[in-house]
Amino acid sequence: MSRDFLTRAGDALLDERRQLAIDELRDLSRLDDVHVPTLAALAHEVRLAWAGPTVEVEGILSVQTGGCPEDCHFCSQSAQFDTPVKATPFLDRDEVVAAARETAALGATEFCIVLALRGPDERTMQRLLELTPVIREEAGINVAVSAGILTPEQADRLAAGGVHRYNHNLETARSFFPQVVTTHTWEERRDTCLEVRRVGMELCCGVLLGMGETDEQRLELLDELRVVGPCEVPMNFLNPRPGTPLQIRRPVRALEAIRWIALFRLGLPSVILRYAGGREITLRDLQAMGMTSGINALIVGNYLTTLGRTPEEDLAMLEDLRMPIGALSGTL
């Protein structure tokens, strides 16, 4: 029966070129662990057929860290929790441009400016609109922004100002979201995602697995992603942070992470599926296997409040796998 599920999924995605129904993905999610490598191999084949061999490399920089008023239970940047991360002011222009240049030198095609806040005020908007053209001109790299919930007018201005991609994660399923965040709603996040699409910026909309959600809620989230239609989906795995309510959670097991990377690829065959936070503690020595389970992009260097592998380690992994680095989308 397990082999039948895999064969039918391969036929649908590779021969019929159709998206799998949620019931088909549910069947695949229930496969025994022994079948996960076969599931991963199918996901890699689908990634090559639908998205090609290229891997997109991105660097991110937290330009305003900590002090966020929201209570996202996984986040050490929330001012509502007693964590080691303290609020810092907006970095100056030269620091940001230097980081963008370093990112571009690695072969990256995207540089994401990240801020810890509910949404940008006018001063923050001005800073972002001033930085974006400077980074594009001086570093020669696409600019992405992650600055929380947007109004329609703010989305219009960022798009007109040259922001290529906007990150706003759904994080988890609508049904589980109130157990993770209470200071804003899942619907507010979804609405920002739809505003990003409306104004023509590429939407980067990620997930965070391992917060206590069920497998059924992971499938619910995957279906909800299909509705908002992201260009890119970062795959984050919970790295429990000291002082946060979710510090009690255990990291996702490596084989479980591989299973869900593969399922998100099979459910979203054409997206940029990016390795993001938590992969180092979750996958450990299986990170290369993740790259052959449907991943076709990665963040290199450090994350917002946690350390990643060195860029050299990730670039060496891509070289070993003979995966070419390049852009997976154009510019505005």
Side-chain angles (χ1 to χ4, degrees):
M1 183 64 71
S2 297
R3 192 176 299 277
D4 290 342
F5 290 149
L6 288 161
T7 299
R8 287 199 292 269
D11 290 344
L13 286 159
L14 298 172
D15 296 332
E16 301 168 28
R17 297 286 290 190
R18 70 167 174 84
Q19 203 172 56
L20 296 180
I22 288 297
D23 284 345
E24 293 173 298
L25 290 165
R26 183 176 293 109
D27 289 336
L28 294 172
S29 75
R30 294 170 176 169
L31 295 176
D32 292 338
D33 283 353
V34 69
H35 296 294
V36 169
T38 307
L39 182 72
L42 173 61
H44 182 58
E45 193 174 357
V46 168
R47 167 244 166 144
L48 293 174
W50 284 69
T54 300
V55 174
E56 185 181 277
V57 174
E58 178 184 50
I60 64 175
L61 177 67
S62 181
V63 301
Q64 182 177 311
T65 304
C68 181
E70 305 303 286
D71 73 345
C72 305
H73 291 11
F74 53 82
C75 185
S76 60
Q77 299 198 64
S78 172
Q80 301 200 31
F81 312 133
D82 185 15
T83 76
V85 178
K86 304 308 175 187
T88 60
F90 203 111
L91 298 179
D92 66 37
R93 168 185 149 160
D94 290 345
E95 290 177 284
V96 179
V97 173
R101 285 194 181 117
E102 291 173 7
T103 298
L106 297 171
T109 52
E110 290 281 335
F111 178 72
C112 188
I113 301 170
V114 184
L115 299 93
L117 36 70
R118 177 184 173 86
D121 58 17
E122 181 54 31
R123 184 180 180 189
T124 299
M125 285 293 296
Q126 289 294 335
R127 294 292 299 274
L128 292 172
L129 292 170
E130 290 167 5
L131 274 170
T132 296
V134 173
I135 291 170
R136 291 180 64 172
E137 293 166 12
E138 297 193 20
I141 194 169
N142 287 335
V143 178
V145 169
S146 179
I149 296 167
L150 296 178
T151 66
E153 183 261 350
Q154 288 172 331
D156 285 330
R157 291 170 66 191
L158 291 174
V163 173
H164 175 239
R165 195 177 286 169
Y166 193 85
N167 166 257
H168 199 60
N169 295 341
L170 289 181
E171 305 291 13
T172 195
R174 186 200 304 238
S175 65
F176 188 67
F177 193 85
Q179 298 181 53
V180 179
V181 183
T182 68
T183 49
H184 60 268
T185 66
W186 183 93
E187 288 78 7
E188 286 177 288
R189 286 186 180 244
R190 178 205 56 201
D191 291 348
T192 287
C193 292
L194 296 178
E195 285 300 322
V196 170
R197 293 287 313 278
R198 177 186 64 81
V199 299
M201 290 186 287
E202 290 187 354
L203 172 62
C204 169
C205 185
V207 303
L208 177 56
L209 305 186
M211 295 189 286
E213 73 284 350
T214 64
D215 286 355
E216 191 61 32
Q217 285 168 326
R218 291 176 182 177
L219 292 170
E220 177 191 342
L221 171 59
L222 201 161
D223 207 26
E224 289 161 346
L225 282 169
R226 287 175 166 180
V227 174
V228 298
C231 165
E232 173 186 341
V233 175
M235 293 285 296
N236 296 281
F237 298 95
L238 181 68
N239 183 350
R241 305 317 301 150
T244 65
L246 292 182
Q247 67 180 350
I248 61 172
R249 293 287 176 193
R250 292 184 177 180
V252 172
R253 295 181 302 116
L255 203 60
E256 182 184 358
I258 294 293
R259 178 193 298 273
W260 284 96
I261 288 170
L263 287 168
F264 270 77
R265 169 54 68 198
L266 297 177
L268 301 163
S270 62
V271 302
I272 301 170
L273 194 63
R274 189 179 301 278
Y275 254 162
R279 63 182 166 105
E280 291 81 6
I281 68 160
T282 297
L283 288 160
R284 301 186 299 279
D285 293 337
L286 294 186
Q287 289 189 64
M289 185 177 179
M291 293 300 306
T292 57
S293 303
I295 294 291
N296 65 336
L298 68 166
I299 294 171
V300 292
N302 296 329
Y303 304 107
L304 300 179
T305 61
T306 57
L307 300 178
R309 299 203 298 183
T310 67
E312 291 74 20
E313 288 177 287
D314 279 334
L315 296 179
M317 175 178 67
L318 296 180
E319 174 63 25
D320 289 342
L321 293 170
R322 297 294 186 265
M323 291 185 175
I325 297 172
L328 287 172
S329 63
T331 56
L332 290 177

